[in-house]
Amino acid sequence: EQLLEARDQAEKASKAKSEFLASMSHELRTPMNAVLGFAQMMQYDPRTNLSEIQNNHVSHIIEGGNHLLELINDVLDLSKIEADHLSLTLEQIDSAEIVADAVLMSASLGNARNITVVDKFSDAASVMLQTDSMRFKQCLLNLISNAVKYNKDGGVVTLNGQETEDGFLRISVTDTGLGIAKRDFAGMFQMFHRLNGDPTVAKEGTGIGLTVTKLLIERMAGRIGFDSEEGVGSTFWIELPLASNHN
Ligand code: ADP
């Protein structure tokens, strides 16, 4: 009885935390829009005539602001999922369309480092899925942006897809990056788990993306996993139910 009571209390506390986070993140986003919006205006308004140093300072505001906004958005998603406030729209969608869109949106991510994103999936015969198209795209964008971020200069990111025997479509995102050591495999989907730096100082990422992706995919009755070899690269894959899968 004591154990049951302790468990109920823990669940209540966890729910309260998620609800608090969901409302806090929402409130935090509004002022961030003002910070970023006005910083961008200062940078682009021809009448402001910023000196080089001032321009540099404004760039720091924008860079830091964008990072914070990304973090807030991730925490908002995460807490919404945990508090069961996330509504999904499950419908029949053409997987090729979503993959092509996600590839198009991420094509420029690798420009500066000469990394190309190759889509070997969406030209093939279309596969219909039963899923939430916006969340599906969000998950793909997360995996592609990681594959770019943790790639080496001049590297390649390749998307592939194939149907599984049990009624899912597996889409894989393969990179030619640093790879992940076997000893780090276990914690990959844990929140704030980052292999390359302290989450409070590293500006490139937040360490929440994979956690959110996993929770979203599982909410859509899907599965997620990866394999990786140090020095060679990683393949992250997601599997979502085919429209014909009535289980
Ligand atoms: P973020 O990228 O914001 O740090 P994620 O949750 O997306 O957060 O990823 C967590 C960590 O997993 C990253 O910091 C990185 O160390 C590692 N990681 C993710 N994707 C890859 C990849 N494709 N190759 C190598 N490491 C990766």
Side-chain angles (χ1 to χ4, degrees):
E1 259 175 29
Q2 269 177 351
L3 273 177
L4 284 177
E5 198 175 312
R7 188 201 61 187
D8 283 352
Q9 269 184 2
E11 276 175 2
K12 263 191 213 147
S14 165
K15 195 149 191 275
K17 175 212 68 179
S18 298
E19 277 172 7
F20 168 74
L21 278 177
S23 54
M24 271 311 285
S25 325
H26 191 73
E27 297 303 323
L28 287 171
R29 259 205 311 204
T30 317
M32 276 319 295
N33 287 333
V35 172
L36 280 169
F38 284 111
Q40 276 157 359
M41 271 169 70
M42 283 170 80
Q43 206 166 40
Y44 295 120
D45 188 344
R47 287 163 304 180
T48 37
N49 265 336
L50 296 182
S51 71
E52 201 180 323
I53 291 181
Q54 287 171 324
N55 205 15
N56 193 8
H57 291 169
V58 174
S59 295
H60 281 303
I61 300 179
I62 295 179
E63 204 176 292
N66 276 328
H67 179 63
L68 194 55
L69 196 60
E70 196 187 321
L71 186 67
I72 294 167
N73 283 338
D74 278 350
V75 171
L76 181 61
D77 271 348
L78 196 71
S79 45
K80 263 199 210 151
I81 301 171
E82 285 189 338
D84 249 335
H85 287 172
L86 183 89
S87 47
L88 294 168
T89 315
L90 296 181
E91 50 190 358
Q92 299 215 351
I93 54 126
D94 183 347
S95 55
E97 262 175 39
I98 308 292
V99 172
D101 248 18
V103 169
L104 199 68
M105 284 169 78
S106 19
S108 62
L109 287 181
N111 281 356
R113 292 169 52 220
N114 208 12
I115 295 167
T116 36
V117 182
V118 182
D119 177 4
K120 290 197 176 165
F121 172 73
S122 52
D123 282 342
S126 70
V127 181
M128 297 302 286
L129 296 180
Q130 176 77 18
T131 200
D132 182 307
S133 56
M134 188 187 97
R135 297 301 182 176
F136 173 33
K137 199 187 294 177
Q138 178 182 354
C139 294
L140 281 173
L141 287 172
N142 246 329
L143 295 187
I144 300 174
S145 76
N146 277 350
V148 171
K149 248 193 298 188
Y150 304 109
N151 217 320
K152 53 176 190 278
D153 290 0
V156 183
V157 175
T158 315
L159 278 90
N160 256 310
Q162 81 194 82
E163 289 179 36
T164 68
E165 279 174 8
D166 57 348
F168 289 75
L169 172 70
R170 173 185 284 219
I171 295 187
S172 55
V173 181
T174 303
D175 63 61
T176 53
L178 312 169
I180 299 155
K182 289 272 180 291
R183 63 173 181 280
D184 292 318
F185 272 30
M188 280 308 287
F189 293 102
Q190 271 165 26
M191 211 187 321
F192 299 124
H193 181 264
R194 303 201 70 216
L195 306 177
N196 314 304
D198 179 347
T200 55
V201 289
K203 61 179 177 187
E204 265 200 337
T206 57
I208 305 185
L210 281 178
T211 313
V212 170
T213 306
K214 181 174 158 65
L215 287 171
L216 282 174
I217 292 289
E218 288 174 353
R219 279 293 148 101
M220 298 189 289
R223 306 182 284 232
I224 183 167
F226 70 98
D227 203 7
S228 182
E229 200 179 325
E230 252 185 312
V232 178
S234 317
T235 296
F236 280 80
W237 53 262
I238 51 180
E239 288 178 353
L240 286 168
L242 298 174
S244 56
N245 179 346
H246 299 296
N247 292 328

